[in-house]
Amino acid sequence: MKKILQNSALLGLLVVLLPSCQSLFSGDEPAPNRSWDHWNAESIPPRVDRFFLGYDSDRDGAYSDKLKADFAHVRKTCQRVFLNYNSDNPFQN
């Protein structure tokens, strides 16, 4: 009885865990991007960049372009708050 219970528990564990395994031979599907693969150690640096810097290389392109865009947003905000100048306002010179 104990052996049958152990075998059925092992079979149940296999049934639960096998669908979570990824196949190495995925056919015609492209390889997943390593930066979004949670189960891969190569995904750690891109995930740290996304969390701390808000930088995603897939979405934002080069990091220098991201910094230029962020600086432009900060500059526009500072102009609006401190200089009372809104470049998007058509009624302001």
Side-chain angles (χ1 to χ4, degrees):
M1 181 68 180
K2 188 176 181 181
K3 186 73 167 172
I4 293 172
L5 187 60
Q6 287 176 346
N7 287 341
S8 62
L10 180 63
L11 180 63
L13 184 64
L14 285 175
V15 168
V16 170
L17 292 179
L18 281 178
S20 67
C21 296
Q22 294 180 356
S23 175
L24 296 176
F25 306 104
S26 60
D28 294 334
E29 296 176 12
N33 188 352
R34 293 284 188 194
S35 64
W36 289 100
D37 187 9
H38 177 72
W39 297 106
N40 191 339
E42 293 175 8
S43 71
I44 294 172
R47 287 189 294 144
V48 169
D49 287 344
R50 273 195 300 273
F51 182 78
F52 287 109
L53 302 175
Y55 169 67
D56 183 12
S57 61
D58 294 335
R59 186 186 65 208
D60 297 329
Y63 189 64
S64 60
D65 295 337
K66 168 84 166 114
L67 287 179
K68 287 177 188 174
D70 288 347
F71 180 72
H73 290 295
V74 169
R75 183 172 179 251
K76 182 180 274 189
T77 301
C78 289
Q79 283 179 346
R80 288 177 177 173
V81 171
F82 297 117
L83 301 176
N84 198 20
Y85 175 72
N86 184 357
S87 59
D88 296 334
N89 188 353
F91 300 111
Q92 189 174 21
N93 292 344

